[in-house]
Amino acid sequence: MNPEIPSAISIAIVRKASVADIPAMMGLMYNLPTASQWSEAQYFELFAPNSPTRLALVIEQESSLLGFLIARSSREEHEIENIAISTLSQRQGLGTKLLKGFMRIVDETRPTKVFLEVRESNMAARALYSKLGFTQVGERKNYYRNPEESALFYQIVMP
């Protein structure tokens, strides 16, 4: 790689999502069959003052939203509920950068664990989670539909 030309990952930024990001997040979600398919109301609920504690992050480059992560958070643990990277931006390290950004933020709250679930067939996501220290701790048979397949549960225990 030429050191004078920045890579896509180096110029992509991770930031907290806002209500203004909802249309782009939903557009990305609709184009990714592996993303959890949430309603518009569920996205707006993320930013409601009386909603459960949630953290929503986006990764963007040159004002284009390339991915997002949504997690339910408590003081003791966090659960990643949805993570998505646009099809054209996959395999460029953006999922790693987004997940590491999330881990830096939640590390400040000193949680004991972070949980997530993933489709059994989503080998790229499973490899990413394993690379970052998550371990598989369970399985729910035939949890997903279209196509029907198992959900695998992963966790990482924080130091």
Side-chain angles (χ1 to χ4, degrees):
M1 180 190 305
N2 184 337
E4 297 173 17
I5 302 172
S7 68
I9 189 171
S10 66
I11 56 177
I13 63 161
V14 175
R15 64 169 174 79
K16 288 188 177 178
S18 71
V19 171
D21 294 312
I22 292 173
M25 291 168 74
M26 290 186 67
L28 182 61
M29 172 201 67
Y30 287 135
N31 289 308
L32 290 169
T34 58
S36 295
Q37 301 295 304
W38 288 16
S39 69
E40 184 177 46
Q42 287 173 296
Y43 279 96
F44 275 103
E45 194 176 297
L46 292 170
F47 304 101
N50 60 347
S51 72
T53 304
R54 289 218 163 77
L55 174 63
L57 301 175
V58 295
I59 187 164
E60 67 181 1
Q61 180 180 335
E62 298 174 3
S63 301
S64 292
L65 191 132
L66 304 175
F68 65 88
L69 180 149
I70 300 168
R72 180 189 53 79
S73 302
S74 72
R75 182 155 175 76
E76 295 80 30
E77 62 187 40
H78 300 273
E79 177 187 2
I80 297 173
E81 296 178 305
N82 208 347
I83 184 169
I85 300 293
S86 75
T87 304
L88 295 175
S89 301
Q90 292 176 3
R91 303 260 182 218
Q92 296 178 26
L94 298 172
T96 300
K97 186 169 184 171
L98 181 59
L99 200 49
K100 284 182 175 181
F102 168 75
M103 297 300 282
R104 274 192 301 279
I105 289 170
V106 302
D107 189 49
E108 295 172 7
T109 66
R110 301 284 181 229
T112 57
K113 296 177 185 172
V114 176
F115 298 95
L116 61 88
E117 69 181 45
V118 62
R119 282 182 177 268
E120 185 175 29
S121 65
N122 193 340
M123 299 307 287
R126 293 173 59 191
L128 170 62
Y129 304 141
S130 294
K131 178 177 85 171
L132 294 178
F134 285 82
T135 56
Q136 184 180 335
V137 295
E139 176 178 1
R140 183 176 291 155
K141 295 278 187 191
N142 304 319
Y143 177 74
Y144 290 108
R145 302 286 178 254
N146 300 323
E148 187 173 288
E149 65 183 298
S150 296
L152 303 179
F153 298 99
Y154 282 74
Q155 78 172 14
I156 187 168
V157 177
M158 305 299 281

